[in-house]
Amino acid sequence: MFDKLSFQWRITLLVISVTLVSLIAASVGFLTMEVVRIRGDVAERLEKTQQIYVERISRILVRNPATTDLPLEDLVQEPTVLAAAVYSMENRILDRYIRAEEAEFIPPPFKLSLSPNYVTRFSYLFDGEERVGIIYMKAEIKGWAEEGLIEPLRGVGMIALLSILVGMIASRILQRSITRPISELARTSKRIAVIRCAPRDRGTERSVR
């Protein structure tokens, strides 16, 4: 099908294709970097939240190591946290928190999630130098990534449309710069051919008479 297109349309498609391939490659790189940045932001926020609860829960466990009355339900105010749990040093779950309407499984201590959509953290709880428990928290990246990528995706769409427009204009200019010399050469060749053939035609006409 490409062979059936005119030379002008071939140039147009070639320029637009190169423009789109370059734009797609740049967009993929940009969006990848954005996802990495968002993941880093979520991980940093989760770390700060966990540190606050490490201090709070450590003080409670120092007073009563077997208590299950821990302030994990306060995490409902932290939108990044999907699930959390506190373990004893015998790996027994003392308390847990799972965000409403979520079906989350509380893993054994220090079993990290390999999914790129989540960030998980485990940390020991201390009484001085002595370990008194373990705290686990899990954050979801998907919602934050979708929210953070809306504006960049709109920008990429606008750039794509502008790139196609610029590509079409550039292809037209390129067509003229290429086809004009060819057209002039063709016209010159035609004139030369006419001039060369003209005397022969007159000579042939006299011989017929």
Side-chain angles (χ1 to χ4, degrees), residues 131-142:
R131 295 172 179 175
V132 295
I134 302 168
I135 186 170
Y136 154 78
M137 285 189 181
K138 180 179 182 180
E140 184 179 29
I141 296 176
K142 182 179 178 181

Side-chain angles (χ1 to χ4, degrees), residues 50-51 54-55 58 87-89 91 109-110 122-127 130-136:
Q50 190 180 64
Q51 188 59 42
V54 164
E55 296 175 2
S58 292
Y87 310 83
S88 68
M89 290 307 298
N91 295 339
F110 296 101
F122 288 88
S123 181
Y124 283 109
L125 304 168
F126 288 93
D127 175 16
E130 182 183 357
R131 295 172 179 175
V132 295
I134 302 168
I135 186 170
Y136 154 78

Side-chain angles (χ1 to χ4, degrees), residues 202-209:
R202 288 196 295 270
T204 304
E205 183 179 354
R206 284 196 297 270
S207 63
V208 171
R209 289 178 181 179

Side-chain angles (χ1 to χ4, degrees), residues 27-97:
S27 300
V28 169
F30 171 75
L31 293 176
T32 300
M33 292 300 296
E34 279 295 295
V35 170
V36 171
R37 181 188 64 80
I38 292 171
R39 183 180 178 85
D41 291 344
V42 172
E44 182 179 359
R45 181 164 181 169
L46 183 65
E47 181 181 5
K48 292 179 179 179
T49 301
Q50 190 180 64
Q51 188 59 42
I52 293 172
Y53 279 81
V54 164
E55 296 175 2
R56 291 179 62 185
I57 295 174
S58 292
R59 289 195 296 266
I60 295 173
L61 291 181
V62 168
R63 294 193 299 268
N64 184 0
T67 184
T68 58
D69 185 17
L70 300 172
L72 292 184
E73 288 300 323
D74 294 347
L75 289 169
V76 71
Q77 302 175 4
E78 179 54 55
T80 57
V81 178
L82 183 64
V86 175
Y87 310 83
S88 68
M89 290 307 298
E90 293 77 30
N91 295 339
R92 180 170 58 87
I93 297 177
L94 300 176
D95 194 10
R96 71 183 71 197
Y97 163 79

